[in-house]
């Protein structure tokens, strides 16, 4: 058997792979359970499907650009995305506990818009930091 050398994926790259895979998995869950989840979260089914598409785009972009973008770019984008997600989740939970019906729309809305911004910024970073770290 002939072995060909490959660049090992280590440290931060494993985290990026996991983050992209989780986004893709979440997109699949949202599509598979769109009808019951949309009712449970109080959002339109089309919004959940749009959210799944956005997550699929972002997760796919993370995986596609792994070797051509710097780790610092990924880390900044992931920290920004996840920080926003945490804040929106806390706000949505507080709204839900108060009986506010917009909690689900806020939460799914963030998960629809933020991944698209993430993917756009990741793609745009190619001209600025082509050399991976």
């Amino acid at each position: 058997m002939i072995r060909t050398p490959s660049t090992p994926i280590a440290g931060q790259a494993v985290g990026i792979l996991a983050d992209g895979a989780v986004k893709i998995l979440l997109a699949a869950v949202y599509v598979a359970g769109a009808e019951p989840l949309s009712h449970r979260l109080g959002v339109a089914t089309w919004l959940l499907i749009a959210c799944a598409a956005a997550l699929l785009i972002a997760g796919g972009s993370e995986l596609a650009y792994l070797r051509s973008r710097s780790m610092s770019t990924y880390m900044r984008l992931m920290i920004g995305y996840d920080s926003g997600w945490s804040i929106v989740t806390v706000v949505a939970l507080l709204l839900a506990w108060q009986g506010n019906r917009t909690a689900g729309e806020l939460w799914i809305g963030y998960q629809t818009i933020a991944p698209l911004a993430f993917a756009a910024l990741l793609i745009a970073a190619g001209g600025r930091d082509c050399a991976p770290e």
Side-chain angles (χ1 to χ4, degrees):
M1 174 184 264
I2 298 173
R3 288 190 166 267
T4 57
S6 64
T7 306
I9 297 177
Q12 293 173 331
V14 173
I16 293 167
L17 283 171
D19 193 69
V22 166
K23 284 181 176 78
I24 292 170
L25 178 63
L26 188 57
V29 168
Y30 282 177
V31 168
E35 190 65 31
L37 283 172
S38 66
H39 292 298
R40 193 128 171 96
L41 293 170
V43 299
T45 303
W46 69 265
L47 182 57
L48 208 54
I49 300 295
C51 179
L55 287 165
L56 185 61
I57 290 167
S61 295
E62 276 186 85
L63 301 178
Y65 290 104
L66 180 61
R67 297 206 187 266
S68 64
R69 299 299 186 264
S70 72
M71 290 296 126
S72 63
T73 295
Y74 269 104
M75 290 301 115
R76 284 192 306 270
L77 290 174
M78 287 170 55
I79 288 168
Y81 177 90
D82 291 341
S83 297
W85 184 86
S86 297
I87 292 166
V88 168
T89 298
V90 169
V91 170
L93 283 171
L94 291 172
L95 289 171
W97 283 329
Q98 294 173 352
N100 191 321
R101 302 195 70 145
T102 61
E105 290 174 354
L106 174 66
W107 195 60
I108 294 299
Y110 179 84
Q111 290 182 74
T112 304
I113 295 168
L116 296 175
F118 180 97
L121 290 169
L122 184 61
I123 293 165
R128 291 182 282 136
D129 67 356
C130 289
E133 291 177 354

